[in-house]
Amino acid sequence: MQIIIKMKNALYILLIIVLAIGACKKDKPFDQEAQFGRDTVIIKKFIADNNIPAVKDASGLYYQIIAPGTGDVKPNDNSLITIKYKGRLLNGEVFDQNESIEFRLGGLIAGWRIGIPKIRAGGKIRLLIPSGYAYGNRPAGKIPANSVLDFDIELKEVK
């Protein structure tokens, strides 16, 4: 009987030790600032390697205006926009594209909300979007976590 009690006590002590070790072990929090720095280095190299005449926005997004467009209305978060787009990873893999689709700008990823207002209807822009302005540290369909995205966007209409 004493052996069973001693074994029970030993199991309790072992369980307490395992739980204590598990409680002390913390997952390292995701460092958005460090990821943004890595993304910036990646984007700068991509721009240099591909001779892209991109401009850096104050937000850290890079863009190239292919055609400014001629519309009078500047898109904002409340605008209903019709666009044609192609989205690629920096390795060239196309993860999404559409010839004509309508969205409310305010419901889109931050990179689009920053970049699309730089053109008017009929305009075309290329956006190189740091992961934090896209899908961040979570995968999304064919897009791996922490991916810099490369979009060609044509703004067809603004309402």
Side-chain angles (χ1 to χ4, degrees):
M1 187 72 144
Q2 285 185 343
I3 294 175
I4 293 174
I5 293 172
K6 286 182 182 180
M7 286 180 66
K8 253 184 166 179
N9 288 342
L11 285 174
Y12 286 129
I13 292 170
L14 182 61
L15 180 61
I16 290 169
I17 292 170
V18 168
L19 290 174
I21 290 171
C24 291
K25 187 179 179 182
K26 301 280 183 199
D27 288 337
K28 187 177 178 183
F30 180 70
D31 187 342
Q32 289 181 321
E33 196 172 311
Q35 183 62 46
F36 186 77
R38 288 188 292 271
D39 289 349
T40 300
V41 169
I42 290 167
I43 292 170
K44 285 180 177 180
K45 182 177 181 344
F46 183 79
I47 287 169
D49 290 350
N50 294 282
N51 297 314
I52 301 168
V55 176
K56 181 180 180 183
D57 180 75
S59 68
L61 172 124
Y62 286 78
Y63 66 95
Q64 175 190 7
I65 295 176
I66 311 298
T70 58
D72 294 330
V73 180
K74 179 181 179 182
N76 63 51
D77 277 355
N78 293 320
S79 297
L80 198 58
I81 59 170
T82 303
I83 60 170
K84 172 183 176 181
Y85 72 92
K86 181 185 284 189
R88 296 177 298 275
L89 301 175
L90 294 189
N91 66 6
E93 179 184 340
V94 174
F95 59 82
D96 195 15
Q97 60 185 339
N98 198 303
E99 289 295 314
S100 183
I101 190 164
E102 190 175 78
F103 294 111
R104 182 143 329 267
L105 184 57
L108 301 174
I109 61 173
W112 281 25
R113 293 193 326 263
I114 295 166
I116 291 175
K118 296 184 180 306
I119 58 174
R120 304 295 182 265
K124 297 178 183 180
I125 192 167
R126 184 174 191 178
L127 302 176
L128 295 165
I129 303 175
S131 62
Y133 292 130
Y135 299 100
N137 63 342
R138 295 188 185 114
K142 297 178 183 178
I143 304 169
N146 300 315
S147 291
V148 171
L149 303 182
D150 179 8
F151 282 98
D152 290 323
I153 299 171
E154 178 182 345
L155 182 58
K156 293 179 161 193
E157 185 179 10
V158 179
K159 296 183 205 170

